[in-house]
Amino acid sequence: MALVILAHPTFDRSLANKSIIEELKSSNIDVEIRNIRNLYPDYNIDVKAEQEALLRHKTIIFQYPFYWYGMPGILKLWFDVVFEYQFAYGSKGDKLKDKNFVPSFTVGSAQSSYTALGFQHFRVYEFCKHLEQTAYHTQMNYIDPIYFYGTSLAAGYTGDEIKANAKHHAQKLIQKLLELGE
């Protein structure tokens, strides 16, 4: 069974992330989904409960929308408090060793925006180095991010396009879980 840490501030209004989660739920993959925004609307994260969830799983998926070139605030806070010294790192902090770290996110803009000459000036993977280093620092197996572009209605994408691309994204995620033996 894989663990999905879902971190979407407005999940109820999401097309892309909601479609991904619905597709995962309807698959034959056994996943535990922890919607941390719903669990902790006051941002008072239960560190022990989250650590226990991590310990139950070999593969952890971090599902979120790409916000301001990174993760939503609640997910950053989650990392800050859950990946604590002597749990995730330190002389006795090997609890996450050899677990799979899978970033999975949605990007509002078009792929053409994320090029050297595009509006964002950098490729998406360049914004993911902190994720990779977090995985390495905690002795986890970093899996290249799974993501897709064009998830914003404001950017001109239609609901049907977003949902179709989200389902395709979910299928890639399911395939990756099968490869990892989940």
Side-chain angles (χ1 to χ4, degrees), residues 21 30 39 43 46 48-49 61 69 71 84 87 90 96 99 110 122 124 169 179-180:
I21 295 300
D30 192 12
L39 288 170
Y43 283 55
D46 183 339
K48 294 302 173 206
I61 300 163
Y69 315 109
M71 61 185 69
E84 66 184 349
F87 175 79
L96 302 175
K99 292 183 181 285
F122 298 96
V124 167
H169 174 102
E179 289 171 17
L180 294 170

Side-chain angles (χ1 to χ4, degrees), residues 141-172:
N141 303 317
Y142 182 72
I143 308 299
D144 285 334
I146 298 171
Y147 58 92
F148 75 99
Y149 302 94
T151 64
S152 173
L153 292 170
Y157 298 96
T158 69
D160 289 341
E161 288 173 319
I162 294 168
K163 288 177 184 177
N165 288 333
K167 286 183 180 191
H168 180 69
H169 174 102
Q171 291 305 314
K172 288 195 312 191

Side-chain angles (χ1 to χ4, degrees), residues 14-61:
S14 169
L15 291 176
N17 282 267
K18 189 183 288 185
S19 295
I20 291 166
I21 295 300
E22 288 170 358
E23 196 75 12
L24 284 175
K25 284 180 178 178
S26 68
S27 76
N28 60 358
I29 299 289
D30 192 12
V31 293
E32 176 184 352
I33 298 169
R34 295 184 66 78
N35 183 336
I36 60 174
R37 185 65 177 97
N38 283 356
L39 288 170
Y40 311 111
D42 59 359
Y43 283 55
N44 188 15
I45 295 170
D46 183 339
V47 172
K48 294 302 173 206
E50 295 305 308
Q51 289 175 345
E52 288 170 8
L54 288 168
L55 293 174
R56 287 192 297 268
H57 304 279
K58 172 73 173 152
T59 298
I60 294 79
I61 300 163

Side-chain angles (χ1 to χ4, degrees), residues 120-139:
Q120 309 299 346
H121 303 290
F122 298 96
R123 290 166 296 281
V124 167
Y125 79 87
E126 294 177 89
F127 294 107
C128 296
K129 288 298 181 187
H130 69 289
L131 299 171
E132 189 171 4
Q133 180 56 33
T134 297
Y136 293 148
H137 191 66
T138 58
Q139 303 177 70

Side-chain angles (χ1 to χ4, degrees), residues 46-101:
D46 183 339
V47 172
K48 294 302 173 206
E50 295 305 308
Q51 289 175 345
E52 288 170 8
L54 288 168
L55 293 174
R56 287 192 297 268
H57 304 279
K58 172 73 173 152
T59 298
I60 294 79
I61 300 163
F62 300 96
Q63 181 64 51
Y64 58 94
F66 196 63
Y67 272 24
W68 286 103
Y69 315 109
M71 61 185 69
I74 194 164
L75 185 55
K76 174 62 170 89
L77 175 63
W78 185 93
F79 275 106
D80 288 347
V81 298
V82 175
F83 276 37
E84 66 184 349
Y85 180 68
Q86 301 301 29
F87 175 79
Y89 68 99
S91 61
K92 299 175 189 168
D94 62 352
K95 309 302 183 287
L96 302 175
K97 184 177 181 177
D98 297 327
K99 292 183 181 285
N100 298 313
F101 184 110

